[in-house]
Amino acid sequence: MTSFDRETLRALADEGNERAQDRLADLADERDDVEELSELLDEGCLHAGELLTRRAAAARDLRELQRIADAGYDEAGEVLDRLLTVEPD
């Protein structure tokens, strides 16, 4: 895969390029930069929501799943509902 510098991707994302936003989310995920992923989600990047949801579900972090759902990524709410309906061990 071709590597692009983060500043160029950020400039494209700021201009509304969704693929650049998705690539920034992938880079942030690779760096374990949850703060940048959260910022991207707040900017409307659904791919960042997907990546954050995956992390929160693996950690069983119910509050984070609620926050992600509240930020507009509906699938996080679905994951939260599934976790809440699972019978206790």
Side-chain angles (χ1 to χ4, degrees), residues 20-50:
Q21 270 189 335
D22 291 350
R23 185 65 186 121
L24 281 172
D26 288 334
L27 293 172
D29 189 52
E30 290 171 11
R31 291 190 323 271
D32 291 325
D33 189 342
V34 175
E35 184 176 329
E36 184 172 10
L37 283 169
S38 294
E39 290 171 6
L40 287 163
L41 175 61
D42 291 342
E43 294 170 16
C45 179
L46 296 181
H47 184 56
E50 176 185 356

Side-chain angles (χ1 to χ4, degrees), residues 11-25:
L12 290 171
D14 288 346
E15 293 174 8
N17 187 304
E18 291 180 21
R19 287 185 192 239
Q21 270 189 335
D22 291 350
R23 185 65 186 121
L24 281 172

